[in-house]
Amino acid sequence: MPDSIRVLAGDCTMSVEGTREQTARGHVVVIAKPDNTLLIHDADGYQPVAWLTRADSLSMSESAIIATDGDQSLTVTIHDEYSEARVPASEAGTPVGTCPACEETLVETRKFVSCLGCDASYGLPQHADILDEQCDDCGLPKMCATHGQAFELCIDRSCESLDGLIQAEFDGNWQCPECGGDLNILRRGSLIAGCENYPECETGFAFPTGLHAGNCPCGLPQFETASGHRCLDATCDAV
């Protein structure tokens, strides 16, 4: 389920210790976020009157909220609480569909598609684009991911394997420059093109994100990536 934000309105004293020491009191709104960010807003402007972002620790009680980050600390002493609530919180993202499990909205954030209603979350490959169509099997959105070529598949890797599609397309297409064996696509943390004769031959290359664009003069494939053409062998200077 989503994390929660604590929102408190009241008569509070804010005490900052560290490089920018200050003390202030007023009728304010205090926001304590799941990433240990503490923000205090008064009646003026959009900028908090006191804040500490992504602190090492954040403790909350009925009388005080304390955020600490190294030698910096922000203490909010609550003299009179007017209202208090804990509300669901998540990253805000682009709506991309409806969760088939709970029928709430799916949103795309930096590296994930997540549901606003349940704990469903799907990691996205680098440079993947969400498509305006759904998987026929599970109803989740489909994506286009580029690894050698553009593959269209479900965002749920357990429903449709990106590694499997890449392997089916490129296994054995190129030969090892050391021993002549086939290069196969393997998952070793990241994707690599590794020699079939391992461990006798330890040749392997990181498999880039980008489109296969013919062969390098050295005989290995080359790829068109965001930074330009490159050989499968990142140390090759023949491109």
Side-chain angles (χ1 to χ4, degrees):
M1 293 296 291
D3 292 316
S4 63
I5 290 176
R6 182 182 180 187
V7 182
L8 180 146
D11 174 8
C12 302
T13 294
M14 294 71 68
S15 301
V16 179
E17 295 184 2
T19 56
R20 48 183 178 85
E21 293 188 359
Q22 64 168 320
T23 299
R25 179 169 176 170
H27 304 288
V28 296
V29 174
V30 182
I31 301 172
K33 297 173 62 178
D35 65 352
N36 287 352
T37 291
L38 185 59
L39 308 170
I40 299 92
H41 287 273
D42 66 0
D44 182 50
Y46 66 89
Q47 184 170 320
V49 292
W51 67 92
L52 194 57
T53 58
R54 297 183 177 87
D56 293 332
S57 65
L58 181 66
S59 62
M60 293 181 278
S61 67
E62 292 185 0
S63 60
I65 303 174
I66 304 171
T68 303
D69 187 17
D71 60 356
Q72 300 282 332
S73 69
L74 170 57
T75 300
V76 179
T77 303
I78 305 165
H79 304 293
D80 189 5
E81 181 181 303
Y82 309 143
S83 66
E84 190 269 347
R86 293 178 184 269
V87 296
S90 69
E91 285 192 76
T94 304
V96 294
T98 301
C99 176
C102 70
E103 298 187 351
E104 291 292 337
T105 301
L106 294 168
V107 297
E108 179 186 3
T109 56
R110 288 166 293 179
K111 295 182 179 180
F112 295 90
V113 169
S114 303
C115 178
L116 295 181
C118 67
D119 60 359
S121 183
Y122 308 92
L124 297 177
Q126 188 178 18
H127 305 309
D129 295 316
I130 302 299
L131 303 175
D132 189 21
E133 55 184 287
Q134 295 177 323
C135 173
D136 292 335
D137 294 326
C138 70
L140 286 167
K142 297 183 71 173
M143 64 181 173
C144 180
T146 303
H147 277 273
Q149 74 174 41
F151 296 96
E152 295 186 4
L153 69 159
C154 181
I155 61 171
D156 185 351
R157 311 292 186 86
S158 65
C159 181
E160 196 169 6
S161 169
L162 177 59
D163 287 4
L165 293 174
I166 298 171
Q167 289 164 348
E169 183 66 28
F170 294 111
D171 269 3
N173 283 15
W174 310 299
Q175 280 65 54
C176 172
E178 296 298 323
C179 72
D182 286 344
L183 293 176
N184 293 326
I185 309 303
L186 309 168
R187 173 66 67 178
R188 297 292 183 268
S190 58
L191 283 179
I192 67 167
C195 182
E196 65 175 342
N197 294 322
Y198 178 86
E200 288 77 14
C201 179
E202 297 184 347
T203 300
F205 307 99
F207 195 78
T209 56
L211 291 170
H212 177 217
N215 290 329
C216 175
C218 75
L220 288 171
Q222 65 180 1
F223 297 83
E224 179 64 40
T225 69
S227 58
H229 277 80
R230 57 153 287 184
C231 178
L232 178 65
D233 180 358
T235 66
C236 177
D237 57 7
V239 178

